[in-house]
Amino acid sequence: MGETQMKNIEADVVVIGAGGAGIPAALSAVENGAESVIVLEKRKTVGGNAVFANGIFACESLIQRRAMIDAPKDEIYKKAMAWHRYSSRINPRILRAYINKSGDTISWLMKRGIEFEIGAQWRLNYHQNPCWHVIKGHTPLGRFAPVVKSLTDECREKGVQILLETTGEKVLRGSEGEVVGVIAVQDGQKFEIKTKSVIITTGGFMGNKELLNKFFPFYDESFGGLVVPHEGDGIQLAAEAGGALDDVATLVREHGLTFTKDHSLGQAARQPNAIWVNKKGQRFLDEASAEQSQICSNAIIRQPGKVAYAVYDEQMIEEVMEKGWFLPHAPIRPIPSDLKEILQNEVANGGEVKISDNWDEIARWIGAEPNVLKATITEYNSFCDHGYDEDFVKERRFLAPLCKAPYYVIKFGVLLIETIGPVRINHNMEIIDKNDDPIPGLYAAGVLSGGWLSDDYCGEYLFGSALSYSVNSGRIAGENASLYIKEK
Ligand SMILES: Cc1cc2nc3c(=O)[nH]c(=O)nc-3n(C[C@H](O)[C@H](O)[C@H](O)COP(=O)(O)OP(=O)(O)OC[C@H]3O[C@@H](n4cnc5c(N)ncnc54)[C@H](O)[C@@H]3O)c2cc1C
């Protein structure tokens, strides 16, 4: 980009970050009257983490209505608020604005020819089975990457300029505090874009250890992360422009096999009939609660070294190979017929799996006292014999003794999916300052902004909400930004 060209850049709205929130924000801004929109994207391609996603949460959508799925927004909102216990981290208006918009967003996508997969399992009433498979229910054909492509193509057709490999570096404010421009960097060259409105949508900060340590007191560098490790640029962009930050953000996490080479083994740790022990060789939870992965990651975080070991006997492994993985709410049980081979390969390749007939050897591998591990197994087997888990009341149907050697042990830990927050906004997606007053012309959307989740991801009622919130908040920010410039 040449010097002269740089001086002339001007736009009604500048969006910083072309991912799950940024692309919908740009499109909404144009749809709602912004005449010129520029999107800055730091990487070579658009999409951010949104290209990896499967589906999005929505309620009262056309798809749900057609499939006779009862997913009332008022009730889901109230349940989600109760789930979050009116946490001080939650702004109920933000959650409400997002949930209210979600059904309309499905129509907004369908108008663009996007089709959604909907199977027989969706035809349940969520009152009978309030599980995420039912409530989420909106998986575009081909998952989300084609959606990103389609919305990006439309942006370009409508004249949105998408500048790739261009980093948004600073938001400029005028004498009355209003947004007046953005400093961006391309090919090492800085340039200014004059604008009245900026939407920051730079995603999370999983790639920034300093920020992870700062915003999560329990963060540990042993946690594994997924895919695109964003650096959290938007936090500094917002803070430098006067935006307030929450002290703590939300870490969306699961338990997962962060230590084995074959991540397809992730499901192994979730089998309710296995037992989980910590480094001391002690059980620490009802393993059948593993379906709710956030709960399990919380339990693992409390263990020494923040790791856990799933233990199976030969019979359990054979049962999985015969009947498939147990997935509580899924209609099918995928069968990993080569499971034993996968586990043996892990051992051969130095992965974090142990197979042995000998509990002393297993205990030494874990780092536990052999007597402690053996006592755990003996006690658990006696619970199975009596049909009652005295320690954690695991459901009787999942109580199976570990008695047929060899025993299989898989080490696993916490897997980070996404960070949420800590930029403070209001329900119009305006970034607010320390006095809770909006900064004129400055918006944030997507996972950079908090206030719609408390400490944990509300998987029960809003599964698929990281991306769903991003798309919906992006749309709301785009609408409000164009309204703002019309009024200016
Ligand atoms: C493997 C995987 C699967 C997932 N599956 C699901 C799912 O099924 N359902 C669901 O709801 N969620 C899912 N998520 C989470 C979801 O994809 C994200 O939460 C969502 O994409 C966040 O949207 P965003 O716009 O905030 O950030 P992103 O989509 O990550 O986009 C941020 C963009 O900003 C750019 N950027 C950063 N800094 C700058 C800067 N300074 N200047 C310019 N550009 C910048 C980045 O390069 C990136 O393109 C998944 C995530 C992963 C990793």
Side-chain angles (χ1 to χ4, degrees):
M1 187 167 299
E3 188 69 28
T4 19
Q5 213 184 336
M6 282 192 276
K7 282 185 184 145
N8 294 330
I9 295 189
E10 202 165 324
D12 281 349
V13 179
V14 175
V15 179
I16 307 179
I23 295 289
L27 196 50
S28 288
V30 174
E31 277 183 330
N32 287 280
E35 283 175 12
S36 52
V37 176
I38 293 178
V39 180
L40 308 177
E41 172 50 53
K42 193 174 180 175
R43 294 172 204 275
K44 284 193 176 118
T45 51
V46 299
N49 275 352
V51 297
F52 305 109
N54 290 318
I56 56 174
F57 161 86
C59 54
E60 294 192 11
S61 74
L62 194 57
I63 291 280
Q64 283 162 327
R65 283 204 294 277
R66 280 183 187 161
M68 290 189 290
I69 292 169
D70 182 19
K73 63 179 165 48
D74 289 354
E75 198 174 331
I76 289 175
Y77 163 74
K78 283 183 79 97
K79 284 198 158 148
M81 279 309 296
W83 193 92
H84 287 298
R85 298 173 61 83
Y86 269 84
S87 155
S88 57
R89 308 263 302 281
I90 289 266
N91 174 339
R93 286 188 186 278
I94 300 176
L95 187 62
R96 180 78 170 147
Y98 150 48
I99 289 176
N100 281 1
K101 189 86 174 165
S102 65
D104 179 66
T105 288
I106 298 299
S107 302
W108 187 74
L109 292 170
M110 287 170 75
K111 266 186 225 144
R112 293 168 161 82
I114 289 154
E115 292 176 55
F116 291 88
E117 279 178 292
I118 193 147
Q121 71 269 33
W122 315 125
R123 295 178 190 281
L124 294 165
N125 181 315
Y126 102 105
H127 295 289
Q128 290 156 9
N129 190 358
C131 70
W132 53 267
H133 291 88
V134 179
I135 295 300
K136 178 181 171 187
H138 298 84
T139 303
L141 289 184
R143 312 296 184 220
F144 218 78
V147 178
V148 170
K149 183 176 180 323
S150 156
L151 298 182
T152 306
D153 289 348
E154 189 179 339
C155 275
R156 289 196 169 110
E157 280 157 24
K158 293 195 162 141
V160 173
Q161 259 187 287
I162 301 177
L163 305 181
L164 297 176
E165 294 183 88
T166 308
T167 303
E169 202 178 69
K170 193 176 169 70
V171 177
L172 305 172
R173 292 177 70 185
S175 54
E176 291 178 9
E178 79 287 10
V179 165
V180 293
V182 170
I183 302 284
V185 185
Q186 192 185 61
D187 286 336
Q189 262 196 317
K190 283 192 188 196
F191 62 99
E192 184 181 328
I193 306 171
K194 287 196 176 61
T195 184
K196 291 184 186 128
S197 184
V198 172
I199 307 173
I200 310 178
T201 52
T202 54
F205 54 93
M206 289 226 303
N208 190 326
K209 288 197 174 136
E210 202 183 311
L211 292 179
L212 287 167
N213 275 306
K214 180 171 175 189
F215 289 107
F216 306 111
F218 57 79
Y219 174 71
D220 189 289
E221 293 198 4
S222 70
F223 295 170
L226 279 181
V227 202
V228 183
H230 297 318
E231 297 83 3
D233 295 6
I235 299 173
Q236 197 178 340
L237 280 163
E240 276 183 6
L245 303 179
D246 283 321
D247 296 335
V248 181
T250 307
L251 197 49
V252 179
R253 54 200 186 270
E254 291 193 352
H255 61 286
L257 289 181
T258 59
F259 308 110
T260 58
K261 294 189 175 125
D262 187 337
H263 281 262
S264 68
L265 275 177
Q267 200 58 50
R270 294 178 190 226
Q271 294 310 293
N273 57 355
I275 70 161
W276 293 9
V277 295
N278 62 16
K279 265 187 166 308
K280 293 193 174 295
Q282 296 158 330
R283 280 179 78 214
F284 56 91
L285 87 169
D286 160 12
E287 296 83 0
S289 58
E291 163 63 10
Q292 294 178 39
S293 47
Q294 189 102 28
I295 291 175
C296 298
S297 75
N298 288 343
I300 295 169
I301 285 167
R302 201 172 164 77
Q303 303 314 309
K306 298 184 171 72
V307 291
Y309 301 83
V311 187
Y312 291 86
D313 78 345
E314 175 75 3
Q315 197 163 327
M316 291 172 183
I317 295 287
E318 275 170 8
E319 195 181 304
V320 171
M321 287 170 64
E322 190 195 328
K323 294 187 185 158
W325 298 121
F326 180 83
L327 303 168
H329 302 296
I332 46 157
R333 293 182 64 153
I335 297 185
S337 53
D338 54 351
L339 179 59
K340 262 191 214 171
E341 208 180 306
I342 294 172
L343 291 166
Q344 281 153 0
N345 285 342
E346 279 295 325
V347 176
N349 296 330
E352 298 281 6
V353 172
K354 179 82 180 165
I355 306 174
S356 171
D357 290 0
N358 185 308
W359 287 117
D360 290 75
E361 199 181 305
I362 290 172
R364 280 193 293 277
W365 183 76
I366 288 174
E369 274 292 326
N371 287 343
V372 174
L373 179 65
K374 283 193 278 191
T376 298
I377 303 296
T378 306
E379 187 183 51
Y380 181 76
N381 284 350
S382 80
F383 293 162
C384 297
D385 291 344
H386 294 109
Y388 180 61
D389 171 10
E390 280 177 36
D391 283 345
F392 303 113
V393 204
K394 177 150 92 175
E395 267 185 70
R396 195 177 181 142
R397 65 185 167 133
F398 298 127
L399 292 175
L402 293 135
C403 41
K404 189 174 173 196
Y407 305 106
Y408 298 77
V409 187
I410 303 164
K411 180 179 175 185
F412 62 101
V414 173
L415 187 69
L416 307 185
I417 308 284
E418 188 63 280
T419 61
I420 311 285
V423 171
R424 291 187 68 136
I425 53 165
N426 62 19
H427 60 286
N428 295 321
M429 309 301 147
E430 294 167 296
I431 295 182
I432 53 175
D433 64 16
K434 291 193 175 81
N435 300 318
D436 270 15
D437 292 323
I439 297 172
L442 188 57
Y443 301 81
V447 297
L448 169 71
S449 55
W452 56 281
L453 272 188
S454 56
D455 292 338
D456 282 336
Y457 187 67
C458 181
E460 278 85 335
Y461 300 110
L462 306 173
F463 197 89
S465 61
L467 181 57
S468 161
Y469 170 77
S470 299
V471 176
N472 284 290
S473 61
R475 286 187 68 208
I476 296 170
E479 286 161 13
N480 287 326
S482 48
L483 207 66
Y484 170 80
I485 51 163
K486 269 187 225 158
E487 286 167 0
K488 267 299 261 179

